[in-house]
Amino acid sequence: MLSVQGLGLHHSGNYLFQNVNFTIKKDDKVGLVGKNGAGKSTLLKMLSGEITFYEGNVVPEGNITIGFLKQDLDFVKGRTVWNETMQAFEQINAWKNELEDVNHQLATRTDYESDSYTNLINRMTELNDLLMNHDAYNLEGDMEKVLFGLGFKADDFQKITDEFSGGWRMRIELAKLLLQKNDIMLLDEPTNHLDMESIIWLENFLKDYPGAIVLVSHDKQFMTAVCNRTFDINNKKVDDYKANYSKYLVMREERREKLIQAKKNQDAEIKQMEDNINKFRASATKASFAQSLIKKLDKIERIEVDNEDVSKFNIRFVQSVVPGKVIFEAENLGKSYGQKKVFDDVDFFVQRGDRIALLGQNGQGKTTLAKILAGDIKDYSGTWNLGHNVNIGYFAQNQEEVLTPNKTVLEEAEDAATEETRPRVRDLLGSFLFQGEAVSKKTKVLSGGERNRLALCKLLLRPFNTLIMDEPTNHLDIQSKEIIKLALQKFEGTLIVISHDREFLQGLCDKIFEFRDGKMKEFLGNIDEYLEYRQKETIREISAEKAKLHGEEEKAEVKAKVEEKPAANNNPSSAIVSKEQKNIQNKIKKVEEKISELETLIEEMEASFTKENPSDETLEKYNKAKEELDVTLQEWEYLGTQLD
């Protein structure tokens, strides 16, 4: 589908890529990996055509379409979520508009025998065929599926996009890209603005995507699930592994061990040559031989081996005094911004040593609660108490608001250090990849990932017994995430962390505070147990949303028919209502039959469970039947209200 030949890109004489070659085929799901700054996002822009000033060629096969998730949004003000999402089908919308115009002409013109009228008929047939071939009459079902999957509710569909935050508008942009069904889809950190449930939905969607995908993500679990091929960008080249991320790690380690041995051999050879050069340089008879060795030495392409072992960093959060048993205690806690209620009636109890993950959709109050507990928000309802001797270290999500712009990296770290930790400042900065001249950079010029690394480093320089971490892995590459996870696992104090990264939370937290619909629920269990529980709940919620959406549409259609029916007798509306009631009664009858069938099936399966242990397949069938019964009962209740 796409061939890359001799690709090279350099700036000021330094190559980012040099002589890169690969081919992307139809079923390839490619994950791009590499350290921050290796060129992953740049490569996507080159493949999309956004960057054109490079060496070599990017050759698409035939008339393939390439879709690219851009970070800059260009929405037309005043459009609803539904109408904006519909813009994904630009060509289909154009065909529909043209077909409408053709049909209008056919209905109003009378020159039935003319060539132009015949041409209109032929064009109408062509347009109908095009729309049928592109499944244009089932688009609304696809739109619902994608919008629900990305976390929107039925009530959101007719809201104006201007009402939504940048993160939610990015979800609309992602929905548009997914619906376009391009031959190749380029995704740069698509999970950045998604909550965990939406990430899992997107993961399943991409696994079944019929085209090729090239993906940049720092979510290891997401990459492993989606990708069947991995491009490792390092040392100006792209190493191609025909494997998903987990298998790639094993293969890369095997290749790395061979590379280490090759480097040892090369280093020995170089040392021998340097010794000979020094030995023969001063000799009149051997000077020419020394010169030839120097030229040969200059031509050697040095083997470089990245150090990927994060365990060697061995960094730790400094433990302060031991606090009392109670860390936080809250009763009827709530927060509103004007008329907008974030959450209310929240009760919880955090004790020493708890390791808690705050989960839920964006905008549900996770960051707000973190700021209240950290003391950044003073205005709230209800009460909460801080325990005895609790020292809080707070990692804020927006580090640009926390760092001092005109200080250097070194100055910012030294100001955070205590007398005991000051000697460790440079070593810790090095562990977070601030080495050499990098410590002299002003914080205002740091990238998002660099700001996060510096903020994490500062937390390691002061003693705390309670850490509140709001999205600590945002913008971090995979190696940096592993470094901070290891440090948090060693931390002996109390941890409260907000993160949508499943792999990061595994083995880190054993309790979940879930934020949903303005409330908070406590779940005792790890992230895997919580996700298993949420998967079942999500299926029910999406089914209910669909039933609600279609119920409202049906109700609107009935109302429209009643209002549009012309007066033809003494009481026309009563006749129409009677007809609609009859239709509803017929639907109720069918739904009741379905309920009876499902209840019988469930009873039979439950009876069989008492005789023998059910298989996984039987349990799955049983759960699906119960979920279908819940949705059908909701439909039955809704139809009953229509009769009233």
Side-chain angles (χ1 to χ4, degrees), residues 484-522:
I484 196 62
K485 181 175 178 177
L486 281 173
L488 288 172
Q489 286 175 326
K490 297 172 190 172
F491 179 60
E492 296 177 357
T494 304
L495 175 65
I496 297 176
V497 60
I498 301 171
S499 178
H500 298 309
D501 190 319
R502 291 160 290 169
E503 193 276 337
F504 180 73
L505 292 175
Q506 284 171 343
L508 200 58
C509 298
D510 50 21
K511 188 184 293 186
I512 310 294
F513 284 177
E514 180 195 55
F515 288 77
R516 185 173 295 273
D517 299 326
K519 304 294 180 185
M520 192 194 83
K521 287 199 303 185
E522 186 174 332

Side-chain angles (χ1 to χ4, degrees), residues 541-554:
E541 287 165 6
I542 290 180
S543 298
E545 284 290 323
K546 287 183 177 179
K548 175 183 175 183
L549 179 65
H550 292 299
E552 290 298 323
E553 288 175 349
E554 184 176 295

Side-chain angles (χ1 to χ4, degrees), residues 167-220:
W168 281 95
R169 294 173 74 191
M170 186 58 71
R171 294 189 192 211
I172 299 172
E173 193 68 18
L174 176 58
K176 288 159 62 177
L177 181 62
L178 298 180
L179 288 163
Q180 286 171 355
K181 299 178 182 176
N182 290 291
D183 299 304
I184 299 178
M185 183 158 52
L186 309 176
L187 298 171
D188 192 355
E189 294 289 356
T191 64
N192 263 2
H193 301 284
L194 301 183
D195 55 81
M196 197 174 291
E197 289 176 26
S198 297
I199 290 172
I200 294 170
W201 176 87
L202 178 62
E203 182 180 287
N204 291 324
F205 182 95
L206 295 180
K207 282 193 290 189
D208 296 331
Y209 189 72
I213 296 170
V214 184
L215 164 71
V216 174
S217 177
H218 292 145
D219 187 325
K220 292 163 63 175

Side-chain angles (χ1 to χ4, degrees), residues 585-609:
Q585 287 170 346
N586 289 335
K587 288 182 179 179
I588 288 176
K589 185 178 179 182
K590 290 180 180 178
V591 169
E592 286 175 342
E593 290 173 356
K594 186 176 181 181
I595 289 171
S596 178
E597 290 173 4
L598 287 167
E599 287 177 337
T600 301
L601 174 63
I602 290 169
E603 287 173 5
E604 289 173 352
M605 295 176 78
E606 287 175 344
S608 71
F609 293 168

Side-chain angles (χ1 to χ4, degrees), residues 407-422:
K407 285 185 179 178
T408 66
V409 169
L410 182 59
E411 289 169 344
E412 189 78 24
E414 285 179 336
D415 287 350
T418 63
E419 289 301 319
E420 292 77 17
T421 61
R422 192 174 299 278

Side-chain angles (χ1 to χ4, degrees), residues 285-464:
T285 57
K286 299 289 182 72
S288 60
F289 177 60
Q291 286 300 315
S292 67
L293 285 178
I294 291 172
K295 291 178 181 178
K296 185 178 179 181
L297 188 62
D298 289 340
K299 291 179 181 179
I300 291 178
E301 187 175 341
R302 305 296 174 103
I303 296 172
E304 296 180 27
V305 182
D306 287 335
N307 190 349
E308 303 290 346
D309 183 11
V310 300
S311 62
K312 80 175 187 67
F313 291 106
N314 194 32
I315 60 175
R316 289 179 177 271
F317 287 94
V318 182
Q319 181 82 14
S320 72
V321 295
V322 177
K325 184 176 181 181
V326 177
I327 303 298
F328 299 116
E329 188 173 10
E331 186 175 352
N332 297 324
L333 195 63
K335 176 61 184 173
S336 298
Y337 293 98
Q339 298 297 313
K340 180 176 174 53
K341 180 180 70 176
V342 182
F343 57 77
D344 65 1
D345 295 329
V346 168
D347 300 328
F348 61 85
F349 180 84
V350 178
Q351 53 187 344
R352 184 178 63 235
D354 276 351
R355 306 177 76 80
I356 301 167
L358 307 187
L359 301 181
Q361 283 189 336
N362 296 339
Q364 290 291 320
K366 304 183 299 295
T367 293
T368 300
L369 178 62
K371 287 183 175 180
I372 290 174
L373 298 181
D376 283 5
I377 292 179
K378 311 289 186 184
D379 178 25
Y380 50 83
S381 59
T383 60
W384 75 276
N385 297 311
L386 183 67
H388 179 64
N389 275 345
V390 175
N391 298 325
I392 300 172
Y394 176 46
F395 178 90
Q397 190 175 144
N398 300 317
Q399 289 305 319
E400 64 272 9
E401 299 173 8
V402 179
L403 302 177
T404 307
N406 289 318
K407 285 185 179 178
T408 66
V409 169
L410 182 59
E411 289 169 344
E412 189 78 24
E414 285 179 336
D415 287 350
T418 63
E419 289 301 319
E420 292 77 17
T421 61
R422 192 174 299 278
R424 299 176 55 214
V425 167
R426 284 187 178 270
D427 288 341
L428 275 174
L429 285 173
S431 297
F432 282 95
L433 311 180
F434 291 107
Q435 298 165 335
E437 295 180 1
V439 300
S440 300
K441 291 167 73 173
K442 299 282 189 184
T443 64
K444 63 184 176 184
V445 302
L446 299 180
S447 67
E450 288 172 328
R451 283 198 297 268
N452 277 18
R453 294 203 304 272
L454 178 55
L456 289 167
C457 182
K458 287 172 62 179
L459 280 181
L460 289 158
L461 290 165
R462 298 192 74 84
F464 301 108

Side-chain angles (χ1 to χ4, degrees), residues 629-641:
L629 178 61
D630 288 342
V631 175
T632 310
L633 284 168
Q634 289 173 8
E635 185 180 357
W636 177 77
E637 289 174 4
Y638 171 76
L639 290 170
T641 64

